Amino acid sequence: MNRKRWQDHLTMYRFGPLIATFLFAAPNSNNSERWINSLSTAKDISNEAADKVKAGRHREAAQLYEDAMLFGRKAALNLHEGGDDDGAALDWLDLIGLYRNSADVRLLLDDVEGARRDAWGACVFSQNEDIPSLECLANVCKAGGDDIGQMQALKRILELDERKDTGSISDIE
């Protein structure tokens, strides 16, 4: 069995039951405990991915970030939309940072399309209000030769920076 297939089997062995539970559980369940468990799993996987990045094992980290996003995104959004956490789940998981980190790792692997998808996700979840996410998107666009996308991201960064400098409350809200 080649190394890639072995890693895929190992990932499925480790996370297969959790993924099956997550995917096939009742979609409209208001079970906060289930979502909190999914968040905890996502946080653990995210921490493991960060360790893999530090060890230079970028391909494994990219897969782990993807797994963490799978577990965390739905749980954090369900808790947030259900009013159970006032945004605490999104902050605790740092879903936006998770997408940014994944985009950065994918760039290291020359996976520009995957990086673009994840950088875009960070911008969407931040509602284009997070400068590091926009910087990440600009870097991805640059790597992919998308000059227009890069300029749009940089323009938005300047708008946010200008708004922050003016200190206008009406602009910030």
Side-chain angles (χ1 to χ4, degrees), residues 91-153:
D91 293 338
W92 181 74
L93 181 60
D94 187 18
L95 193 58
I96 296 165
L98 192 59
Y99 274 88
R100 273 195 323 262
N101 292 341
S102 181
D104 290 340
V105 168
R106 290 188 183 285
L107 270 183
L108 291 172
L109 296 170
D110 293 325
D111 178 8
V112 176
E113 289 309 309
R116 182 184 314 274
R117 179 195 64 227
D118 293 343
W120 180 252
C123 290
V124 167
F125 279 108
S126 73
Q127 298 178 349
N128 288 324
E129 297 289 322
D130 182 55
I131 291 176
S133 296
L134 291 162
E135 289 172 338
C136 180
L137 182 61
N139 289 336
V140 169
C141 289
K142 181 179 180 181
D146 180 3
D147 295 335
I148 294 172
Q150 181 185 13
M151 289 300 124
Q152 288 174 334

Side-chain angles (χ1 to χ4, degrees), residues 2-63:
N2 67 32
R3 183 177 176 90
K4 170 75 173 114
R5 289 188 63 199
W6 180 83
Q7 289 172 338
D8 290 343
H9 287 287
L10 179 62
T11 299
M12 283 309 293
Y13 172 75
R14 289 176 55 212
F15 299 115
L18 290 171
I19 291 171
T21 300
F22 184 75
L23 291 177
F24 297 108
N28 293 326
S29 172
N30 289 329
N31 186 351
S32 294
E33 185 176 326
R34 186 179 112 221
W35 297 127
I36 290 168
N37 288 338
S38 291
L39 274 180
S40 180
T41 300
K43 187 70 170 179
D44 291 345
I45 295 170
S46 174
N47 290 338
E48 186 178 346
D51 291 342
K52 298 288 185 190
V53 170
K54 289 176 189 170
R57 298 165 67 178
H58 300 120
R59 191 162 308 285
E60 292 173 53
Q63 182 60 52

